[in-house]
Amino acid sequence: MDGNSENSWGIPPAVARAWGVGHDVTTAPRRGLSLERIVRAGIDCAAAEGIGAVSMSRVAAMLGVSAMALYRYVGAKDELLLLMEDAAVGPPPPELAEPADWRTGLAEWARAYRRVLHDNLWVLAVPVSSPPATPNSVVWMEYGLRALRGSGLDAGERLGVLTLLSEYVRGEAAVAADLAAAAREAGLSPAHMNAAYGRLLAGLADRERFPEVNAVLDAGVLEAGGDGGTPSEAGEDFDFGLERVLDGVAALVDRGRADA
Amino acid sequence: MDGNSENSWGIPPAVARAWGVGHDVTTAPRRGLSLERIVRAGIDCAAAEGIGAVSMSRVAAMLGVSAMALYRYVGAKDELLLLMEDAAVGPPPPELAEPADWRTGLAEWARAYRRVLHDNLWVLAVPVSSPPATPNSVVWMEYGLRALRGSGLDAGERLGVLTLLSEYVRGEAAVAADLAAAAREAGLSPAHMNAAYGRLLAGLADRERFPEVNAVLDAGVLEAGGDGGTPSEAGEDFDFGLERVLDGVAALVDRGRADA
DNA sequence: ACAGAATTGCGTACGCCGTAAACAAGCAAG
DNA sequence: CTTGCTTGTTTACGGCGTACGCAATTCTGT
């Protein structure tokens, strides 16, 4: 087990291990270090200072170990990031395994996904290089599809709806992550950051060329609400978009019902 | 003008120049090099080999110039990336300036935005560090809000709807960008990539634990359609999600109409 | 025409990054 | 004890972003 080279699945062995299909020879001394400890240290680092701060030397130093030691377990940095992401997101909460009707099931799925992303905002900033073939992400997918089981939609529609929803959740969280990163960098609170953004826009966008932008600005939307507001307000903003999406799905479902 | 230090707006001077508010003293020799040429070279590099290939030395080499020469114009790499993004996206097409009804206006806005992103997939991978305060992005925002002028929604709702829509567009394009990046890295076509992903998933997700995932896989959704299919099919996938979102917005608009 | 100032562009250098390669230390099996 | 495998370290390379200071060039005021 030297962390490199591919196997019959075409995925790196550390990822294969995450799937539980790695040959656990483990005829090994394994003193001190382990994949789990490495991934955990990486997550701690990313959570505290953003993925930008995650470097092989940094993670290794946290474990009191030389940088190259990590390569006995992970093959490359990208692989470590992938494993970090999978471990941080984790599986969906088990109560999502058996959703009741599609609408509440999908809403709970989306809110749970959002919660996980907001608790680990750094995962949104990890450079993605491949489709999500990591075990926990597939469980999330499975549970999301289960919510649509009784919807009457065909397979393509179910996948399309889930894709739409997860893109919305990720998009909303990504905005929050960018804001949080900018705020940390500037040493300000996200709320102040948002207000500063509004003021900047107000100063830059003149009223003749940008009447509608100024109308929104005048309404004070950015000062009160937004993702930088109180948690409850931010959640309400998210729920607003979520209800729009679900209404759109409902229209599709009802159309199918009417046809049948 | 040495590219560093902030001004009264709190934004880097090169960005201020993009807004047209930079003091154009230009009591300067300015031989050969210029901000426009630098940004253009950066865009060419990113378009050809992805943002990962964009480094200061690389861009400088393209212009036959030393790396440090660029710092007379841009202050930092992040600033260059921001300017590249703004220049590549450009302003929305002028026919979006006066949208007719909200639904077709919003649909055209979304499709135009998608087209621009797909023509410059690398912008999705540029690490975002601040809210979009770049001139062209505000024009896009303005035009999107204009489409909602006759919708009867209040300012918060209009912004929420536009946010939802742009997050969907960006999310869809980001998936395509990741796929394209992975395909280029592996030297395969995106279509083959997608099919390979389906096969990988089929091999990894056993039927007992993942019945719904396998149902989707069995339907052959990933083989035929998906973002890796023919352009027309990919566009249809996008339109599917778009119609869902617009249906959801329509529900909100109609509710407002009914209340009034 | 000329002096001086301002500004551009460049060379060098530093510290950090990811990681390839060869090597040393510890344990298992013979 | 020897042999061999696994683990972690050391060293080194090339590339990155960029701080600093110097040389060349062009503009400004006379």
Side-chain angles (χ1 to χ4, degrees):
Chain A
M1 234 298 268
D2 76 343
N4 301 330
S5 79
E6 306 226 328
N7 52 19
S8 61
W9 275 277
I11 52 177
V15 179
R17 188 117 64 83
W19 274 100
V21 298
H23 45 101
D24 252 1
V25 281
T26 322
T27 165
R30 293 270 124 140
R31 47 190 185 259
L33 217 43
S34 77
L35 189 61
E36 286 71 27
R37 295 216 315 134
I38 293 173
V39 171
R40 178 73 47 154
I43 290 175
D44 290 345
C45 181
E49 308 176 46
I51 4 113
V54 177
S55 75
M56 299 304 267
S57 351
R58 190 84 170 58
V59 173
M62 284 183 175
L63 298 165
V65 139
S66 118
M68 292 312 294
L70 308 185
Y71 285 89
R72 297 285 175 192
Y73 298 79
V74 283
K77 189 190 180 183
D78 289 7
E79 210 176 301
L80 171 58
L81 291 178
L82 196 69
L83 294 169
M84 282 168 54
E85 185 172 340
D86 192 59
V89 171
E95 62 264 28
L96 297 182
E98 305 297 339
D101 65 309
W102 71 261
R103 180 150 189 155
T104 63
L106 227 46
E108 277 166 18
W109 182 91
R111 273 191 269 265
Y113 191 31
R114 181 189 121 99
R115 202 172 312 124
V116 168
L117 291 183
H118 274 251
D119 287 346
N120 305 278
L121 278 182
W122 54 269
V123 306
L124 276 313
V126 48
V128 186
S129 54
S130 58
T134 175
N136 283 329
S137 72
V138 178
V139 180
W140 277 96
M141 188 176 166
E142 168 72 20
Y143 284 14
L145 289 173
R146 280 186 197 174
L148 287 161
R149 211 162 18 191
S151 65
L153 301 180
D154 68 41
E157 289 170 330
R158 292 201 300 271
L159 185 60
V161 164
L162 191 64
T163 303
L164 163 61
L165 192 55
S166 82
E167 276 165 6
Y168 170 61
V169 176
R170 285 185 71 93
E172 193 268 351
V175 171
D178 291 345
L179 202 79
R184 174 174 47 215
E185 202 169 325
L188 295 167
S189 90
H192 287 167
M193 205 71 197
N194 217 341
Y197 175 54
R199 263 178 281 117
L200 174 65
L201 225 54
L204 248 25
D206 58 290
R207 309 191 88 85
E208 294 80 42
R209 289 183 58 207
F210 302 103
E212 295 299 324
V213 170
N214 275 283
V216 169
L217 252 32
D218 292 342
V221 177
L222 279 182
E223 281 129 47
D227 295 307
T230 70
S232 70
E233 278 169 354
E236 283 163 21
D237 268 12
F238 171 77
D239 284 347
F240 171 82
L242 175 59
E243 291 304 320
R244 279 342 106 221
V245 172
L246 294 179
D247 281 353
V249 176
L252 182 69
V253 169
D254 292 345
R255 197 171 313 151
R257 291 259 154 73
D259 290 354
Chain B
M1 234 299 268
D2 80 339
N4 301 331
S5 78
E6 306 223 331
N7 52 19
S8 61
W9 274 277
I11 54 177
V15 178
R17 189 114 65 83
W19 274 100
V21 299
H23 44 100
D24 253 2
V25 281
T26 324
T27 166
R30 296 265 123 144
R31 58 198 176 241
L33 217 45
S34 78
L35 189 60
E36 286 71 28
R37 296 218 312 136
I38 293 172
V39 171
R40 178 73 46 154
I43 290 175
D44 291 345
C45 182
E49 308 176 46
I51 4 116
V54 177
S55 74
M56 298 304 267
S57 353
R58 191 84 169 59
V59 173
M62 285 184 174
L63 298 165
V65 139
S66 116
M68 291 313 294
L70 308 184
Y71 283 89
R72 296 286 175 186
Y73 298 81
V74 283
K77 190 193 182 182
D78 289 6
E79 209 175 301
L80 171 58
L81 293 178
L82 196 68
L83 294 169
M84 283 169 53
E85 185 172 340
D86 192 59
V89 170
E95 61 265 27
L96 297 182
E98 305 297 340
D101 65 308
W102 71 261
R103 178 145 189 159
T104 64
L106 227 45
E108 278 167 17
W109 183 91
R111 272 191 270 264
Y113 190 32
R114 181 190 121 101
R115 204 173 310 123
V116 168
L117 291 183
H118 273 251
D119 288 346
N120 305 278
L121 277 183
W122 54 269
V123 308
L124 276 314
V126 52
V128 186
S129 54
S130 58
T134 174
N136 282 330
S137 73
V138 178
V139 180
W140 278 95
M141 189 176 166
E142 169 71 21
Y143 284 14
L145 289 173
R146 280 187 197 174
L148 287 162
R149 210 161 19 189
S151 64
L153 302 180
D154 68 40
E157 289 170 331
R158 291 201 299 273
L159 185 60
V161 164
L162 191 64
T163 303
L164 163 60
L165 192 55
S166 81
E167 276 164 5
Y168 170 61
V169 176
R170 285 186 72 93
E172 193 267 352
V175 171
D178 292 345
L179 202 79
R184 175 174 47 214
E185 201 169 326
L188 295 166
S189 90
H192 287 167
M193 204 71 198
N194 217 340
Y197 175 55
R199 261 178 282 116
L200 174 64
L201 224 55
L204 247 26
D206 58 291
R207 309 191 88 86
E208 294 81 42
R209 288 184 58 209
F210 303 104
E212 296 298 323
V213 170
N214 275 284
V216 168
L217 252 32
D218 291 343
V221 178
L222 279 181
E223 281 129 48
D227 295 306
T230 70
S232 70
E233 277 169 355
E236 283 163 20
D237 268 11
F238 171 77
D239 285 346
F240 171 81
L242 176 59
E243 290 304 320
R244 276 344 105 222
V245 173
L246 293 178
D247 281 352
V249 177
L252 182 69
V253 169
D254 292 345
R255 196 173 314 150
R257 289 260 154 74
D259 291 354

